[in-house]
Amino acid sequence: MRFLLDAEQRAFADSLDAMLTAADTPSVVRDWSRGEQASGRALWSRIAEAGVFALAVPEVYEGLGRRPVELAVAFVELGRHAVPGPLVETVTAAALLTEPGPAKRLLPALASGEAMATVAPSGSYALDGDAATTRLALTSDGLRLAPGHGPVRRCLDPARRLTPLTPGGELLVPHPPVAHALTTARLTTAAQALGVGLALLDRTVAYVKQRSQFGVPIGSFQAVKHRLADAKIALEFARPLVFGAALSMSPAEVAAAKVAACEAAYATARTALQLHGAIGYTAEYDLSLWLTKARALRSAWGSPRECRNVVVSARDRRW
Amino acid sequence: MDLAFAPQDEAFRAEARAWLEAHVPAVPLPSLETEEGFAAHRAWEAELAADRWSVVNWPAAYGGRDAGLLRWLVFEEEYYAAGAPGRVGQNGISLLAPTLFDHGTEEQRARVLPPMARGEVIWAQAWSEPEAGSDLASLRSKAVRAPGGWRLSGQKTWSSRAAFADRAFGLFRSESRAPKPHQGLTYLMFDLRAPGVTVRPIARLDGKPAFAELFLDEVFVPDEDVIGEPGQGWRVAMATAGNERGLMLRSPGRFLAGADRLFRLWRAEGSPQDTEDRVADALIGARAYQLFTYAAASRFLDGALLGPESSLNKVFWSEYDIALSETALDLLGAQGEAADTDWSQRYVFALAGPIYAGTNEIQRDIIAERLLGLPKGRR
Ligand SMILES: Cc1cc2nc3c(=O)[nH]c(=O)nc-3n(C[C@H](O)[C@H](O)[C@H](O)COP(=O)(O)OP(=O)(O)OC[C@H]3O[C@@H](n4cnc5c(N)ncnc54)[C@H](O)[C@@H]3O)c2cc1C
């Protein structure tokens, strides 16, 4: 038993962090929100080059093998930098494509970053259907390749573009591994939310050290400190759940991780906004990019309520 | 990164489980906060010790099994899962013993630890004073030099189980002119039945009488009962205070077992919808605490020190324990009002969690200042 990331995993996180810091993700997010995809696609290629999507693809299809722990490491960093795009959807698509025919046809391009996938149950919104090149619909008769998408609807997180998928299209797989794919979606959403929460905490700690009122930094006020301490506690106890879930990939553990990480990120978002005061309430200030994402991820791929229900009803809960 | 225990650790788990199955009393012991319960729990400590289960992580020379941190965690999981009694020896085992391992003399360890392991000597913690709570360094009780030792005078309070315990450890002011309040303090062990000691029980919120205040009037303590250097008491005491907040006081095993019991209660009540989220949160919280602790233990085994992170634990488990027992009481409805049920007793005890071992307000200050690097403000 050694429940810690190893040196290689930590180095992977650090290199992603360095790459994303240099990439000026806030301006990429703003472009993406306006429907301008060039900078987002360029960033997508670099993320793929770093191997992120390949971590969801078996080696026979030109991936690095399915490696949920490394995937979680990567998604924490993607969340910390508010990277836009159908990130979770692309790895979820990869988890759905286990049938050799469609896998051979579609997975190599997902692993390399050449393709961008989105996926949704038919009738609900698919994230970023206007940018995705592979649009998958889960229908009653299986997994279909949707022929197109409908109009974009704005989301409360401007970087998430909600699109219905056009019905019909080629039936790719009659019985896709939906449960496993949902587990992948929830795990990566949880990791992304944890990253969002960590970024919100870091930014707020930096802000309250530098912003003065009444002649002292606001970070010296106990009411401010205690809210940040609570955010820190919530995030630090969500983190091991995310990595424990990645190790087991048990639906109950993943659901638990999603509840804890999304609730922690959301509570941190509320704290971050409050402690920034009015500037935090502006769209111009970058904090907003994480604030709205924390809310959106909470409902994505299973609300807290649905996930809590999985925890209490699960047969595979081992604790 | 992995969560699999080595085969030897699993064998240890199986051995612990088998022993507990054969020995855990079928009928729960009376509360250890009462006189008869205290005696029954003392006997249980002796039974544990007879097969060397009372202090598994201690060296064998003092009655332990050299089991290490991971196996201690495994033992605790099995211990609470088996519904075994609360540990009356806990103050000594989780607070004094680590201090003696780090700062005591070989003679002190040999003299103090084995009877502690056997439950023959039960220890009380005498830190708090009427005027020194969160601001512990403002304490006033004095230790004055005497031939061959020290004379203690003053008043200590809120001392858990001191009404029935044998000995106590605490901080005393030995230099009245030290420049700062946390300087010139000496850490000493003393006998609760020594001449000059008066123990006055204080009924707690649950009416149990084991809590006490101590009046000390020129109580003689020999030099051999000073822990560490005279005058260095603050440093010595704080070096192990993290144990109290962190994992040694409240291991995850306790909360895993509690969450499981709550879950079974909820199912037995027909899985009511309105408490589903809270029951789920209890399960999620127990798992989070377990995995957080495994991560901390892994870091510790890699050579890291347990620092201010133990303040994260303290706030988490104390609030968790209240949420857990409140949910159980809500599920039990009118029955939950009865004072003699396990859940109502757990609830009333849980209410004290955010107060003892350093209040949660103080822990949040530590988290903000030492983990997040925020500026110190007015206390
Ligand atoms: C069940 C129980 C068992 C105990 N067992 C022991 C024992 O065995 N041995 C022992 O020595 N002591 C024991 N204690 C005492 C415990 O350690 C003290 O109660 C604790 O340190 C708080 O001190 P106080 O009660 O004097 O509260 P105070 O320090 O007076 O605090 C009162 C309130 O003010 C808040 N406050 C104080 N200072 C600050 C600040 N700077 N910022 C923000 N808020 C602040 C506190 O957080 C608290 O909410 C026990 C207490 C309980 C309830």
Side-chain angles (χ1 to χ4, degrees), chain A residues 1-6 9 69 201 205 208-209 217 219-220 222 224-226 228-230 232-233 236-237 240-241 243-245 247 253 255-256 259-260 304-305 308-309 311-312 317 319, chain B residues 1-5 70 256 263 266-267 273 276-277 279-281 283-284 287-289 291-292 294-295 298-299 302 312-313 315-316 361 364-365 367-369 371-377:
Chain A
M1 212 277 315
R2 189 175 176 282
F3 188 51
L4 284 182
L5 295 175
D6 63 30
Q9 290 161 335
V69 175
L201 178 62
V205 166
V208 303
K209 280 188 203 173
S220 63
Q222 207 174 41
V224 168
K225 282 183 184 167
H226 286 194
L228 290 169
D230 283 337
K232 173 83 176 161
I233 294 166
E236 289 307 327
F237 280 89
L241 281 173
F243 288 104
L247 276 175
E253 297 218 28
V259 172
R305 159 143 283 213
R308 286 185 170 108
N309 183 262
V311 171
V312 293
R317 188 169 56 77
W319 77 94
Chain B
M1 153 170 268
D2 74 275
L3 279 167
F5 282 90
L70 286 187
L256 285 166
F263 177 71
W266 180 70
R267 294 292 287 270
Q273 186 72 51
E276 178 174 300
D277 285 0
V279 171
D281 282 345
L283 291 166
I284 295 169
R287 179 67 169 164
Y289 189 56
L291 294 177
F292 181 91
Y294 284 172
S298 302
R299 274 197 299 278
D302 275 4
L312 297 170
N313 287 38
V315 178
F316 186 88
E361 285 72 26
R364 287 185 171 98
D365 278 350
I367 293 165
E369 288 167 14
L371 296 178
L372 298 177
L374 294 178
K376 273 190 180 298

Side-chain angles (χ1 to χ4, degrees), chain B residues 147-294:
Chain B
W150 302 79
R151 288 203 178 273
L152 311 183
S153 299
Q155 184 185 351
K156 295 286 180 180
T157 191
W158 315 131
S159 191
S160 291
R161 296 177 283 285
F164 310 122
D166 307 296
R167 306 198 75 202
F169 50 93
L171 284 163
F172 294 84
R173 195 160 295 286
S174 52
E175 293 163 33
S176 51
R177 267 184 277 279
K180 293 209 175 123
H182 51 270
Q183 292 171 354
L185 301 176
T186 297
Y187 203 13
L188 295 129
M189 302 179 272
F190 59 96
D191 208 314
L192 285 168
R193 296 185 196 104
V197 180
T198 308
V199 178
R200 190 185 76 85
I202 310 168
R204 302 196 310 191
L205 206 56
D206 57 8
K208 303 270 167 53
F211 219 28
E213 59 185 336
L214 313 173
F215 299 90
L216 306 169
D217 181 16
E218 305 265 315
V219 178
F220 180 76
V221 173
D223 280 323
E224 63 191 32
D225 279 341
V226 173
I227 311 172
E229 293 296 311
Q232 298 296 312
W234 185 258
R235 212 173 50 79
V236 175
M238 288 309 125
T240 44
N243 276 305
E244 183 175 22
R245 294 165 201 153
L247 51 148
M248 290 318 234
L249 179 62
R250 294 283 176 259
S251 67
R254 183 170 186 273
F255 301 111
L256 285 166
D260 190 52
R261 273 184 59 215
L262 176 68
F263 177 71
R264 284 187 279 118
L265 172 66
W266 180 70
R267 294 292 287 270
E269 297 287 328
S271 310
Q273 186 72 51
D274 61 349
T275 33
E276 178 174 300
D277 285 0
R278 290 160 71 196
V279 171
D281 282 345
L283 291 166
I284 295 169
R287 179 67 169 164
Y289 189 56
Q290 180 191 37
L291 294 177
F292 181 91
T293 306
Y294 284 172

Side-chain angles (χ1 to χ4, degrees), chain A residues 222, chain B residues 91 125-128 133-135 157-160 204 211 352 355-359 361-362 365 379:
Chain A
Q222 207 174 41
Chain B
N91 268 334
Q125 179 195 18
W127 286 21
S128 304
S134 299
D135 184 14
T157 191
W158 315 131
S159 191
S160 291
R204 302 196 310 191
F211 219 28
I355 300 171
Y356 65 81
T359 70
E361 285 72 26
I362 300 298
D365 278 350
R379 280 277 166 275

